[in-house]
């Protein structure tokens, strides 16, 4: 084997590896971008849900305090439970948060598994499943939007 054919062979392999590396980087970036969108939307949803619940709970506490102030110390001592604020908004927000986080976990796992499969296929020289990854990303986005709508509805219900 002469030097020229050796250089040509090494150059060909290096170009192939560089192309695979570029494809892996692109797939990884797209996967992280999708995951970031899921996380950001979930955090915004959780903040809104829990913020609304905190406002509702504070309003309940204020109303209970005013009620207790008007009734007097003797009435509060006689029946203290009647002057406690309703904790329903906080409990509903907590349960909604748990459901949202569970759904987000499932979607992130699907997203990262799809990205890993695409990267593995790229490294092994198989055609990548970009269409499958993009479809999974769109499905994930649709599920996240549905979750957000559910959470908003629960927050409105808790606020009312």
């Amino acid at each position: 084997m002469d030097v020229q054919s050796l250089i040509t062979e090494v150059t060909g392999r290096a170009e192939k590896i560089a192309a695979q590396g570029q494809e892996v980087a692109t797939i990884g970036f797209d996967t992280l971008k999708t995951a970031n969108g899921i996380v950001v939307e979930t955090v915004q949803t959780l903040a809104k849900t829990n913020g609304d619940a905190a406002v509702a709970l504070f309003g309940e506490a204020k109303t209970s305090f005013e009620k207790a102030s008007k009734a007097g110390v003797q009435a509060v001592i006689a029946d203290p439970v009647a002057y406690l604020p309703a904790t329903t908004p906080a409990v509903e927000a907590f349960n909604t948060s748990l459901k949202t986080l569970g759904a987000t976990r499932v979607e992130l796992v699907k997203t990262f598994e799809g990205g890993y499969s695409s990267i593995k296929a790229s490294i092994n020289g198989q055609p990548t499943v970009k269409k499958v990854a993009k479809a999974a990303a769109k499905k994930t986005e649709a599920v996240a939007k549905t979750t957000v709508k559910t959470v908003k509805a629960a927050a409105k219900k808790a606020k009312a």
Side-chain angles (χ1 to χ4, degrees):
M1 188 176 256
D2 63 345
V3 174
Q4 184 62 33
S5 62
L6 182 63
I7 291 173
T8 304
E9 184 177 333
V10 169
T11 304
R13 287 183 183 182
E15 288 174 357
K16 180 181 175 185
I17 291 171
Q20 284 178 336
Q22 182 66 34
E23 191 170 353
V24 165
T26 302
I27 293 168
F29 179 75
D30 290 343
T31 302
L32 289 175
K33 186 176 173 184
T34 301
N36 183 51
I38 294 168
V39 169
V40 166
E41 191 165 335
T42 300
V43 168
Q44 289 173 345
T45 301
L46 289 174
K48 175 127 176 65
T49 300
N50 291 311
D52 291 345
V55 168
L57 187 61
F58 181 75
E60 290 284 332
K62 186 177 177 184
T63 303
S64 294
F65 179 75
E66 290 171 357
K67 180 180 170 185
S69 295
K70 287 181 184 177
V73 174
Q74 293 297 328
V76 174
I77 291 172
D79 189 17
V81 175
Y83 298 96
L84 291 176
T87 57
T88 305
V91 172
E92 287 179 0
F94 177 76
N95 291 333
T96 302
S97 295
L98 287 179
K99 288 178 186 176
T100 302
L101 290 172
T104 300
R105 180 189 62 81
V106 168
E107 294 307 315
L108 285 173
V109 166
K110 286 180 184 177
T111 300
F112 285 120
E113 283 177 348
Y116 173 75
S117 297
S118 295
I119 288 172
K120 186 176 176 184
S122 175
I123 290 172
N124 291 333
Q126 300 169 350
T128 59
V129 286
K130 286 183 180 179
K131 290 182 181 179
V132 174
K134 286 184 180 182
K138 286 183 181 181
K139 183 178 178 184
T140 300
E141 185 177 336
V143 169
K145 286 181 181 180
T146 303
T147 304
V148 168
K149 287 179 184 177
T150 304
V151 169
K152 286 181 180 178
K156 285 182 182 178
K157 189 176 182 181
K159 198 172 187 180

